[in-house]
Amino acid sequence: MAIIWDKRTFHLFNEKISYVIKVTDANHLMHVYFGERVYEDDLDYALNSRNYDKYRRESADNENMNLQYLPQEFASFGSNDPRLPSIRLEFKDGSRTTDFKYHRHQIIKGKPKLEGLPATYGTEDEVETLVITLKDAYEDVFVELSYSIFKDYNVITRHTNIINNTKHKINIERITSATLDLSHVEGDMIQLSGTWAKERFYERTPLRQGIQEIASRKGSSSHDLNPLLIIASKDAHETYGEVLAMNFVYSGNFEGSIEVDAQKMARMSMGINDFDFKWALHPNDTFVSPEVVLVYANDGLEDMTHTFHNLYSNHLIKGKHKHAPRPILLNNWEATYFDFNETKILNLAQEASALGIELFVLDDGWFGKRNNDQTSLGDWFVNKDKLPSGLDNLSKKINDLGMKFGIWFEPEMISPTSELYKKHPEWIIGHHHRRNYQGRSQYILDITRKDVQTYILDSVSNILDSANIEYVKWDYNRFFTDIYSSHLKPEQQKELTHRYILSLYSILDKLTTKYKDVLFESCAGGGGRFDPGMLYYTPQIWTSDNTDAIERLKIQHGTSLAYPNAAMGCHVSSVPNHQVGRITPLKTRGIVAMSGNFGYELNLLELSKEEKEEIKNQIKTYKTIRNTVQYGTLFRLSNANDVSWMYVNKDKSQVVVNHIRQKGLVDPSIKTIKLKGLAKDAYY
Ligand code: DGJ
């Protein structure tokens, strides 16, 4: 791994990849190359492209230089490149044109933290960082482009800082975290699309001239489009072909786009969505953009997946649970919904413990007067009608059964019928002179306010301190509307959605640091915030509210593209399935849920003796394969009517193959599943 600066060219490389940037005579940054490792001699060829020569000839005459056909590393707004820019600032006089040019650079061992934001990390031996500072040709505005290269990964991580050294406020109207200009791309775009209970379905479409975009304007990364954007060569598939991916380490509004021009040049960008965004950058202030993880894989989607999984498992997820076996849990949500009391919970727990379950999770409904979803969010005190002996006693009783105890929260929300709302109607996001939309009968708390942050920290802490709680499910069940904060100034209103995410990260940082032994699982009405930003704080995420085994094949397949096996919460639920009504065998449900972070979410008390026996065996089996499934290498062997997922542990001593045939077919042909990743000198 090294970063070299020679002949006005930066070359970041390791054994696997090279990333090359050229500083032109006119001090613009040109993107030369990102791909398989190349050597210095090869670079001349890449640099002498037709467009670059033309630019060199023209750049002597600055006014006529033509940037629109050039692969730029950072595209200023207002030049003769009309493609989507990397930046758009608004100066005091209303002008928006900038011309960012090379100013200086720094090569750093290790990887500096991103102030207030989640990001990948590594030691000085594992990662190096290049920071290129650009300066606008006319104003004292600086842009720092950061590139980190890890020793063993086909990955570059990037983000962008903007520094205002002028004497006036500047508005940031658009800033991408990474822009990547690619010459002559004829490929496909792959994205993960969906909606509630149908998250992250794999979708592949040919690239065409124009802008292809994935985005969220909902305030969260959303159920609809995941912040993962992929360009795959036409011939690329699971194990072959070139793949280039951007994944955004951010949980709010984002925009990932691929703009293809007539020459088939593609500009791939990822950043905070400029929809309803404007950030006032005051003199001497710095704006830090979130991080983008760029993966180049030349052995297909599998190669890309392995890279993301390893990177996230080793350099994104943190804390003591990072590589620890994740407990098999029983969650009472689909078993009881809001209709439970202590006796019911203890009966369930007793049964769970007898079957070998390790963690009991008490979901929604234990607080305030929460007997349905219309009330009590914000009132984080125990409902003594349901749980008369309190959480402390309940957790003790569950611990006595040999299980850990965990609990559900939705701390960012407030019900209009809550005690909290009576006291603090001004705490919601929305206008006080308008009718604000509710989502699932609730408002979103304005967590950008310090008093609201303190309230959340205190109320969650009070509960966590009150009992032996070893797991927290952190839910979030609606999206943003009426985007307005009564405590922000008028000119700050378009900062609200980003400030919200920064505040969420700050709250999560404080709580996960204070309760470092507690295992946090995030959730957003299922998988509405399944992104690397959340993964940094919560090592596991509830994948989807859809627990149907067959629908889960598609949801878990798409999710597995970038997100590690241990991160994916997967539960066996009852049949007919509560979301789609399908009846699947317990065996099928077990195999699908055992392909991730395993648990149950059904009324164990209603099961037959045979079913309980089967569950006991599933749990016994999972305990023997848990390490391989959660931390092994995943191979997606087949993704058709027959779905096969294979997991190989680190020393290749154990292999797990999960196979589901979705539809029974009259097909007498003999099928062979060819295994992968095996040790050459071993019998399995
Ligand atoms: C949505 C979650 O995804 C469910 O698992 C459950 O926790 C409910 N919220 C509770 O309201």
Side-chain angles (χ1 to χ4, degrees):
M1 164 189 67
I3 299 173
I4 291 174
W5 164 240
D6 185 32
K7 297 190 206 119
R8 295 173 68 79
T9 303
F10 294 104
H11 186 188
L12 298 87
F13 63 88
N14 60 23
E15 300 276 299
K16 296 181 171 170
I17 51 155
S18 287
Y19 192 107
V20 184
I21 304 162
K22 170 90 180 162
V23 182
T24 68
D25 297 343
N27 283 326
H28 288 117
L29 250 54
M30 292 297 137
H31 178 75
V32 178
Y33 180 81
F34 177 37
E36 201 174 332
R37 167 82 153 100
V38 291
Y39 295 85
E40 274 66 43
D41 292 348
D42 305 336
L43 291 178
D44 285 342
Y45 170 76
L47 286 172
N48 287 333
S49 71
R50 180 171 58 97
N51 285 337
Y52 179 63
D53 270 354
K54 191 163 177 284
Y55 166 74
R56 257 209 310 227
R57 283 199 304 277
E58 288 177 354
S59 65
D61 176 2
N62 218 24
E63 268 99 57
N64 283 326
M65 68 183 173
N66 196 349
L67 289 168
Q68 80 166 305
Y69 299 122
L70 284 162
Q72 297 185 71
E73 196 60 33
F74 186 79
S76 303
F77 177 78
S79 74
N80 55 8
D81 176 359
R83 291 171 292 176
L84 286 175
S86 311
I87 192 166
R88 194 174 60 245
L89 302 176
E90 186 190 43
F91 293 102
K92 196 169 147 260
D93 62 358
S95 65
R96 277 108 53 235
T97 297
T98 48
D99 186 8
F100 281 99
K101 297 187 169 200
Y102 173 81
H103 182 64
R104 59 167 179 261
H105 73 268
Q106 204 189 350
I107 295 169
I108 306 163
K109 288 238 167 288
K111 185 170 185 287
K113 279 191 159 184
L114 270 70
E115 198 50 48
L117 284 162
T120 54
Y121 57 84
T123 63
E124 292 192 357
D125 295 333
E126 293 167 334
V127 55
E128 271 184 39
T129 301
L130 164 69
V131 182
I132 307 176
T133 305
L134 312 177
K135 185 187 170 304
D136 177 49
Y138 297 93
E139 300 280 351
D140 276 343
V141 187
F142 296 84
V143 160
E144 290 174 345
L145 303 178
S146 291
Y147 301 80
S148 296
I149 181 156
F150 287 80
K151 194 157 72 186
D152 303 315
Y153 295 85
N154 35 328
V155 166
I156 299 282
T157 61
R158 289 181 55 179
H159 81 277
T160 307
N161 293 343
I162 308 174
I163 302 154
N164 179 4
N165 279 353
T166 72
K167 296 205 164 44
H168 305 285
K169 181 190 84 176
I170 295 169
N171 289 320
I172 305 171
E173 292 186 338
R174 175 182 171 85
I175 180 66
T176 65
S177 292
T179 300
L180 190 66
D181 278 4
L182 306 161
S183 312
H184 199 86
V185 173
E186 270 181 299
D188 294 332
M189 166 165 161
I190 298 173
Q191 65 188 61
L192 301 178
S193 315
T195 181
W196 173 78
K198 189 179 185 288
E199 298 91 339
R200 293 173 300 285
F201 275 31
Y202 175 95
E203 198 175 348
R204 183 168 180 159
T205 43
L207 283 172
R208 54 180 162 73
Q209 187 170 347
I211 299 171
Q212 284 109 115
E213 183 195 81
I214 53 165
S216 170
R217 292 183 289 277
K218 287 187 158 177
S220 50
S221 52
S222 93
H223 299 87
D224 310 66
L225 291 159
N226 194 261
L228 174 71
L229 184 63
I230 301 170
I231 295 181
S233 58
K234 274 270 169 246
D235 55 359
H237 53 72
E238 193 63 25
T239 53
Y240 179 83
E242 277 194 306
V243 176
L244 218 154
M246 283 187 178
N247 196 196
F248 202 24
V249 189
Y250 190 60
S251 313
N253 286 346
F254 73 93
E255 182 186 316
S257 63
I258 304 171
E259 181 170 8
V260 181
D261 67 12
Q263 298 204 353
K264 294 212 186 316
M265 283 181 64
R267 171 165 294 171
M268 188 180 191
S269 315
M270 185 68 89
I272 292 176
N273 200 326
D274 61 8
F275 162 81
D276 202 38
F277 173 79
K278 181 150 103 174
W279 191 273
L281 192 66
H282 295 278
N284 303 319
D285 275 3
T286 300
F287 180 85
V288 182
S289 88
E291 177 167 273
V292 173
V293 175
L294 268 95
V295 170
Y296 169 80
N298 57 4
D299 282 325
L301 292 166
E302 181 182 281
D303 184 6
M304 176 200 76
T305 290
H306 292 170
T307 306
F308 275 125
H309 285 196
N310 291 334
L311 184 81
Y312 290 170
S313 303
N314 298 322
H315 299 283
L316 178 75
I317 296 169
K318 56 191 176 71
K320 79 172 240 197
H321 302 285
K322 170 172 164 166
H323 293 136
R326 307 291 171 79
I328 302 171
L329 62 81
L330 174 74
N331 179 306
N332 74 307
W333 179 241
E334 285 199 20
T336 64
Y337 295 105
F338 294 102
D339 182 19
F340 62 82
N341 55 28
E342 187 174 307
T343 315
K344 216 176 193 178
I345 292 299
L346 285 174
N347 286 343
L348 273 172
Q350 216 151 21
E351 197 58 64
S353 147
L355 297 176
I357 288 172
E358 300 159 324
L359 162 69
F360 186 93
V361 178
L362 182 59
D363 209 277
D364 196 354
W366 57 266
F367 54 92
K369 298 193 182 82
R370 183 92 167 159
N371 293 321
N372 54 48
D373 63 9
Q374 319 273 297
T375 180
S376 299
L377 293 172
D379 298 343
W380 300 110
F381 45 85
V382 180
N383 180 338
K384 288 284 174 89
D385 292 340
K386 281 180 169 172
L387 305 172
S389 58
L391 289 177
D392 189 26
N393 274 315
L394 182 64
S395 66
K396 278 194 186 115
K397 288 178 191 162
I398 287 177
N399 291 162
D400 288 346
L401 291 168
M403 278 188 300
K404 294 179 175 179
F405 176 66
I407 203 162
W408 178 98
F409 284 99
E410 196 177 359
E412 298 158 69
M413 299 290 165
I414 180 168
S415 307
T417 54
S418 62
E419 296 299 317
L420 184 65
Y421 188 77
K422 273 191 217 145
K423 276 193 236 144
H424 291 294
E426 78 286 6
W427 276 10
I428 67 164
I429 285 182
H431 307 259
H432 298 290
H433 58 286
R434 284 176 181 260
R435 192 205 62 160
N436 297 300
Y437 283 94
Q438 295 177 18
R440 205 195 191 201
S441 309
Q442 63 202 48
Y443 296 125
I444 303 180
L445 281 169
D446 183 358
I447 63 170
T448 66
R449 298 172 63 117
K450 281 275 173 289
D451 47 3
V452 174
Q453 290 177 16
T454 307
Y455 180 79
I456 291 177
L457 290 170
D458 288 351
S459 37
V460 174
S461 297
N462 285 343
I463 292 295
L464 295 187
D465 293 340
S466 75
N468 188 24
I469 296 171
E470 297 180 77
Y471 162 105
V472 164
K473 178 172 172 189
W474 185 286
D475 207 345
Y476 171 93
N477 279 297
R478 60 159 292 183
F479 62 85
F480 272 56
T481 56
D482 312 287
I483 302 166
Y484 184 80
S485 163
S486 55
H487 98 118
L488 290 178
K489 297 190 192 107
E491 65 271 21
Q492 290 180 308
Q493 291 301 331
K494 289 186 177 175
E495 297 178 3
L496 177 58
T497 46
H498 183 53
R499 281 185 184 275
Y500 184 94
I501 297 296
L502 293 177
S503 308
L504 170 66
Y505 290 154
S506 151
I507 292 169
L508 286 173
D509 189 48
K510 290 196 175 96
L511 284 173
T512 53
T513 308
K514 183 170 172 195
Y515 298 99
K516 57 180 185 337
D517 292 339
V518 173
L519 172 62
F520 281 78
E521 173 158 353
S522 62
C523 170
R529 232 170 22 187
F530 206 123
D531 56 66
M534 291 308 284
L535 212 48
Y536 178 79
Y537 301 101
T538 69
Q540 55 194 64
I541 305 181
W542 179 226
T543 309
S544 175
D545 273 350
N546 192 337
T547 55
D548 173 66
I550 300 304
E551 286 302 285
R552 273 293 184 126
L553 292 175
K554 284 171 270 179
I555 295 169
Q556 292 175 201
H557 167 89
T559 308
S560 80
L561 248 57
Y563 305 106
N565 315 336
M568 251 198 278
C570 306
H571 301 171
V572 172
S573 61
S574 62
V575 287
N577 173 268
H578 292 196
Q579 292 76 40
V580 300
R582 192 185 337 245
I583 296 178
T584 41
L586 183 51
K587 185 169 183 196
T588 306
R589 284 176 272 151
I591 290 173
V592 175
M594 276 194 245
S595 305
N597 192 325
F598 188 46
Y600 289 84
E601 193 166 330
L602 76 177
N603 191 347
L604 300 173
L605 304 169
E606 285 173 351
L607 300 178
S608 67
K609 233 172 100 200
E610 291 72 34
E611 286 172 317
K612 283 184 197 164
E613 209 39 49
E614 194 172 340
I615 289 184
K616 221 181 202 168
N617 284 330
Q618 288 178 346
I619 292 170
K620 225 165 135 191
T621 306
Y622 191 72
K623 286 178 181 168
T624 66
I625 60 170
R626 165 166 37 196
N627 185 53
T628 301
V629 171
Q630 294 184 353
Y631 296 107
T633 307
L634 166 72
F635 297 94
R636 291 175 295 250
L637 299 180
S638 156
N639 185 38
N641 188 38
D642 282 12
V643 176
S644 295
W645 293 325
M646 177 180 173
Y647 307 82
V648 182
N649 68 351
K650 293 274 172 294
D651 66 7
K652 302 188 175 188
S653 59
Q654 191 183 48
V655 162
V656 176
V657 182
N658 288 347
H659 184 85
I660 300 290
R661 173 159 295 170
Q662 301 190 59
K663 276 186 221 147
L665 299 171
V666 178
D667 177 7
S669 66
I670 295 169
K671 297 270 186 311
T672 308
I673 303 173
K674 202 166 167 199
L675 303 186
K676 301 186 64 185
L678 304 175
K680 290 198 167 51
D681 53 355
Y683 286 103
Y684 290 92

